[in-house]
Amino acid sequence: MKLPGIPVSGGIVIGEVFRYEPFQAAPEISPIEKADVERNIEIYVEARSAARREMEEAQNRVMERAPDKAGILSAHMEILMDPVIDEEVRGMVCSDLLSADAAIASVFDKYSALLRKSKSASMRERASDLQDVKNRLLRCWAGVGERNLSSLEKPVIVVCDDLYPSDTVSIDRDNVLGIITQVGGTTSHTAIIARGYEIPAVLGVQDCMSLIRDGDTVVLDAENGEILLAPGDDEREAYAAKRESMSALSMEMRTWRGVEPVTRDGRRIWVGMNISGVSDYELAGAVCADGVGLFRTEFIYLGSDRIPDEDEQYRIYRKALDAFRGKPLIMRTLDIGGDKQLERFNLQSENNPFLGLRGLRLCFARPELFGAQIRAALRASAHGDLRLMLPMVSSLDEIQRAKEFIAEQGAKLDADGIAWNCCIKIGIMVEIPSIALIADLVAPYVDFVSIGTNDLCQYLNAADRLNPAVESCYQEYHPAMFRILGMIARGFAGADRTVGICGEIGGDPLAIPALLGLGIEKFSMCSASIAAAKRAICGLDMSDAVSLAQEVQQMKTESEVRARLQAFADNQPTLRGILEEGTSCIQKKFT
Amino acid sequence: MYSKKIHVKNATGLHARPAADFVAIAAKYDSNITLKRVDDEDLYNAKSIVMLLALGLENGEDAILSAEGADERDAVEALSDLIDSFTE
């Protein structure tokens, strides 16, 4: 049986399934009988020792690899063994006749609520530590073993409903062969991380959780976007052969990574990479790129168990700058909200998170969080070409307010005698239509812009990019996209500001000719897309690209645009080659 | 009962690492040990990390540290020495 899905990161793998279902606690609500008190206390004591054993084992495991994580575990251990919590849980069971799991939930929730009200940011963060310990304790109470993706015993294909950013960041890359999820589309965080790690992934696979069992062998074909259940011997062989021939092709593509991207008529195009962290793996592509066009700094928050402080962030930004040796590095300031990381940042849940308190808006609401990041970045700016990019900007007021805030943080550093680059370039992401439509007016107030096409597309089409039900409305090739991109490029070019693109479409060989023709000459993409993009650029003439861009802006539907881009590619030997090979480096577009 | 006024002077206040160190030392004594703000009646169990976090003493704040039991004097002296050793 075959299940269709959305391929977001290419490749073919055959392997055993690991179902990943985070534990969901459901504490008993009804009161217990007096006779059951003793039994409840017994199970509670057992759960507490089981949780303690787990933590001790985990501590031994990570002590050498990641001493900072060991520190977090010992903080959790102190919370677990806390005498006041222990006393209150026992009290609620004995006197209030609460089931012990309900008592655990109630006591931990009470104290996390208390900590969440604290004035100090670091105290509020501790609330999520309490929640972590609570969840572990409740899971042990239910007798359910620990499951996560950070230490897998063998190579597996992960099947789950959805992955949280924290799962995807701590994922055991050596043992995750592939990812299959029930929800999520081409631009979800799971997709972005899977591409960054070059892990084949098919998302939005309906019913995968009910149809696939733990230990099943499946074929994950992220070239065609399908999952094959219970493959027969000949099917396995056919897929293995296909896999072989693909890896030979991708070797050839790799040689293109180091090429200088110059069009046939001699225009040098800037090709940078998007990074989400500073692991050796993320930074390995530095030599092939002209710099970093997008450093998604929120992932350094989501990847660690707590919010990194100013010094930690400073070290991270320094490490990235050192890896790129003088090349520009554009860091996007914290862009959270809009998805699931509510708990860690103690955010209110919203009805329309993508239209809510996210990105720069959230930073203004949480100045202590924003201030720490800005000071860390400014300190790092003394050591390389670091540039700041503000996400989710919708008005000029916000640009001015952010620049004032940055200047204030700089003044604080001055007062402490700490060096920073006072000429640091400050730019914005263009992803909200309101700012795109006044591009020419705001251009004088920013040093550079980069277009975030994923969000721009969802706001322009009013289609949630994480909702598979409206995937067909999320049209990246919608003629309106090309019109607005052209408008942005003209608006900023008039003020002599460079315009870049850092959304997924920037690494798409089919779209690159039209984007170049619109006047966008800086492309930033995941490192896996660089080879194909450079190859596409090297085969192009700017004059052809300009007329192509003119044409698509006059088209009426996405399918017309797509057909035109395809026809253009068919007439270009290099582009045709890239698209026909359909190597695993290229993100597949779903029609 | 034996009490002493303490003064928090490290930048991050009495949470995170310093609070954990404090609790670890407090746990070594048999006496009941409590902390309270100078202008407040609420007592916080000093052997509980969660209570210390909830108390949330900030840099520059004063508090009353008390102990009651056989080793009350040693406990208070050891903990107030620890607080004095926190500097940043």
Side-chain angles (χ1 to χ4, degrees):
Chain A
M1 180 158 102
K2 280 183 181 171
L3 302 178
I6 303 159
V8 297
S9 174
I12 295 175
V13 284
I14 305 172
E16 210 174 285
V17 164
F18 176 88
R19 280 172 61 105
Y20 176 54
E21 292 166 278
F23 175 74
Q24 302 268 341
E28 179 59 51
I29 311 163
S30 45
I32 55 172
E33 300 289 330
K34 198 125 194 146
D36 292 332
V37 166
E38 205 176 320
R39 172 103 192 94
N40 266 269
I41 295 288
E42 260 172 43
I43 306 178
Y44 161 66
V45 170
E46 276 167 31
R48 199 157 167 246
S49 348
R52 185 181 182 148
R53 274 197 306 277
E54 272 184 16
M55 287 192 212
E56 280 167 350
E57 280 164 22
Q59 216 167 8
N60 291 336
R61 268 204 311 275
V62 301
M63 197 55 100
E64 283 170 24
R65 264 194 305 140
D68 55 320
K69 289 221 166 73
I72 291 155
L73 282 163
S74 67
H76 283 189
M77 194 105 78
E78 284 152 11
I79 294 170
L80 177 72
M81 303 316 287
D82 192 282
V84 170
I85 290 204
D86 184 43
E87 202 177 300
E88 288 192 22
V89 170
R90 287 166 188 267
M92 288 181 99
V93 176
C94 301
S95 335
D96 306 344
L97 295 180
L98 236 61
S99 164
D101 54 344
I104 293 166
S106 149
V107 173
F108 276 89
D109 286 346
K110 179 177 101 182
Y111 285 106
S112 0
L114 198 64
L115 292 186
R116 268 192 201 119
K117 283 194 210 126
S118 163
K119 275 180 292 193
S120 135
S122 68
M123 289 292 264
R124 289 198 300 270
E125 288 151 26
R126 301 304 295 257
S128 58
D129 290 336
L130 254 73
Q131 288 297 322
D132 263 358
V133 175
K134 176 188 89 172
N135 290 335
R136 184 187 292 271
L137 196 50
L138 288 175
R139 179 171 50 69
C140 289
W141 156 273
V144 175
E146 190 173 17
R147 277 209 138 177
N148 64 49
L149 300 176
S150 62
S151 53
L152 296 164
E153 282 165 11
K154 56 184 174 187
V156 289
I157 294 176
V158 173
V159 178
C160 54
D161 185 51
D162 191 13
L163 288 177
Y164 285 68
S166 53
D167 295 324
T168 45
V169 173
S170 64
I171 209 160
D172 177 357
R173 215 176 43 247
D174 295 334
N175 283 318
V176 175
L177 298 172
I179 299 170
I180 302 170
T181 71
Q182 195 146 306
V183 302
T186 47
T187 51
S188 65
H189 51 261
T190 309
I192 289 165
I193 294 287
R195 275 196 289 280
Y197 285 167
E198 298 181 26
I199 298 175
V202 176
L203 312 186
V205 180
Q206 299 281 318
D207 303 323
C208 68
M209 287 305 275
S210 52
L211 293 169
I212 307 178
R213 280 164 320 196
D214 229 15
D216 281 359
T217 294
V218 299
V219 175
L220 185 167
D221 179 355
E223 297 304 306
N224 292 312
E226 54 193 25
I227 312 300
L228 179 62
L229 306 185
D233 285 346
D234 29 335
E235 280 168 319
R236 286 187 199 211
E237 265 171 44
Y239 275 105
K242 195 168 164 194
R243 192 177 141 82
E244 282 287 294
S245 69
M246 273 178 36
S247 65
L249 274 174
S250 79
M251 282 305 290
E252 195 199 321
M253 283 304 283
R254 268 166 225 269
T255 61
W256 280 94
R257 288 172 66 137
V259 168
E260 197 177 352
V262 182
T263 61
R264 278 174 39 189
D265 47 344
R267 187 77 65 102
R268 172 70 160 89
I269 305 300
W270 193 91
V271 175
M273 57 192 263
N274 297 346
I275 60 173
S276 305
V278 292
S279 65
D280 294 344
Y281 187 86
E282 292 261 7
L283 298 176
V287 285
C288 308
D290 290 322
V292 172
L294 173 64
F295 181 178
R296 298 187 173 94
T297 58
E298 57 276 12
F299 282 92
I300 61 179
Y301 293 75
L302 304 176
S304 74
D305 287 348
R306 63 188 60 216
I307 297 177
D309 64 15
E310 181 184 322
D311 286 341
E312 258 173 283
Q313 290 192 51
Y314 166 73
R315 285 192 292 274
I316 291 170
Y317 304 146
R318 275 296 304 268
K319 186 173 175 196
L321 280 172
D322 291 347
F324 282 88
R325 301 173 189 211
K327 292 175 183 171
L329 186 150
I330 297 176
M331 60 169 271
R332 175 173 70 190
T333 57
L334 189 56
D335 187 13
I336 46 165
D339 66 15
K340 296 177 179 158
Q341 281 296 315
L342 305 175
E343 187 125 299
R344 178 172 327 228
F345 296 96
N346 301 313
L347 307 177
Q348 299 292 316
S349 71
E350 299 175 320
N351 283 335
N352 280 313
F354 277 120
L355 305 181
L357 190 64
R358 58 172 293 206
L360 191 59
R361 302 164 178 183
L362 178 72
C363 287
F364 286 145
R366 299 284 294 272
E368 77 289 349
L369 208 62
F370 195 32
Q373 177 172 48
I374 295 298
R375 284 192 305 277
L378 294 181
R379 283 165 60 190
S381 73
H383 305 276
D385 188 358
L386 187 71
R387 304 175 185 187
L388 289 174
M389 178 157 72
L390 309 165
M392 285 295 289
V393 172
S394 59
S395 69
L396 181 57
D397 308 324
E398 288 170 333
I399 298 173
Q400 284 168 324
R401 185 170 167 196
K403 286 171 90 169
E404 273 164 32
F405 186 88
I406 294 165
E408 280 164 24
Q409 302 303 319
K412 279 189 191 165
L413 294 180
D414 285 339
D416 293 338
I418 297 171
W420 60 287
N421 170 18
C422 59
C423 304
I424 187 167
K425 290 199 161 77
I426 302 172
I428 57 169
M429 289 281 282
V430 177
E431 51 199 333
I432 299 181
S434 63
I435 205 79
L437 293 173
I438 55 168
D440 55 329
L441 303 177
V442 298
Y445 299 88
V446 300
D447 295 316
F448 64 92
V449 293
S450 187
I451 308 170
T453 49
N454 304 350
D455 273 327
L456 181 61
C457 184
Q458 87 163 345
Y459 293 133
L460 203 57
N461 289 300
D464 182 342
R465 60 187 164 89
L466 300 180
N467 182 349
V470 292
E471 178 101 18
S472 65
C473 301
Y474 180 89
Q475 301 186 345
E476 280 193 302
Y477 295 164
H478 195 297
M481 278 295 281
F482 289 92
R483 284 195 169 196
I484 203 164
L485 291 174
M487 187 166 182
I488 297 166
R490 284 191 301 278
F492 286 100
D496 218 13
R497 298 291 188 272
T498 59
V499 178
I501 196 159
C502 58
E504 296 297 321
I505 202 173
D508 172 6
L510 198 56
I512 285 173
L515 298 174
L516 268 176
L518 290 171
I520 296 164
E521 297 192 6
K522 286 188 167 210
F523 292 82
S524 192
M525 59 198 69
C526 70
S527 74
S529 299
I530 286 182
K534 283 186 170 181
R535 203 173 149 192
I537 290 166
C538 290
L540 279 176
D541 254 305
M542 282 304 283
S543 55
D544 295 342
V546 170
S547 41
L548 175 67
Q550 293 301 334
E551 276 181 63
V552 295
Q553 288 181 85
Q554 299 308 318
M555 291 182 162
K556 297 187 196 69
T557 65
E558 183 185 48
S559 44
E560 271 180 64
V561 173
R562 187 182 295 278
R564 180 65 192 101
L565 295 177
Q566 190 65 54
F568 182 86
D570 289 342
N571 282 322
Q572 287 271 336
T574 338
L575 268 177
R576 193 175 60 224
I578 298 169
L579 294 165
E580 273 172 5
E581 283 165 16
T583 76
S584 63
C585 298
I586 305 166
Q587 180 203 348
K588 277 285 163 61
K589 291 290 156 187
F590 221 45
T591 43
Chain B
M1 184 160 91
Y2 183 77
S3 300
K4 203 169 175 178
K5 191 162 141 185
I6 58 161
H7 178 71
V8 177
K9 58 177 190 231
N10 56 316
T12 52
L14 194 57
H15 17 90
R17 207 63 250 167
D21 293 345
F22 189 91
V23 170
I25 302 229
K28 291 182 185 158
Y29 294 91
D30 294 328
S31 300
N32 283 325
I33 310 173
T34 56
L35 267 172
K36 74 175 209 63
R37 283 205 163 77
V38 178
D39 52 359
D40 198 346
E41 288 312 304
D42 295 342
L43 292 176
Y44 290 76
N45 183 336
K47 293 181 182 178
S48 157
I49 183 77
V50 174
M51 295 307 280
L52 280 199
L53 294 178
L55 174 63
L57 287 178
E58 298 291 341
N59 181 18
E61 274 198 282
D62 289 331
I64 307 291
L65 172 65
S66 309
E68 192 159 13
D71 49 12
E72 56 188 38
R73 183 174 287 269
D74 291 347
V76 169
E77 292 301 337
L79 289 169
S80 79
D81 284 351
L82 178 73
I83 294 280
D84 286 339
S85 73
F86 292 147
T87 46
E88 268 179 72

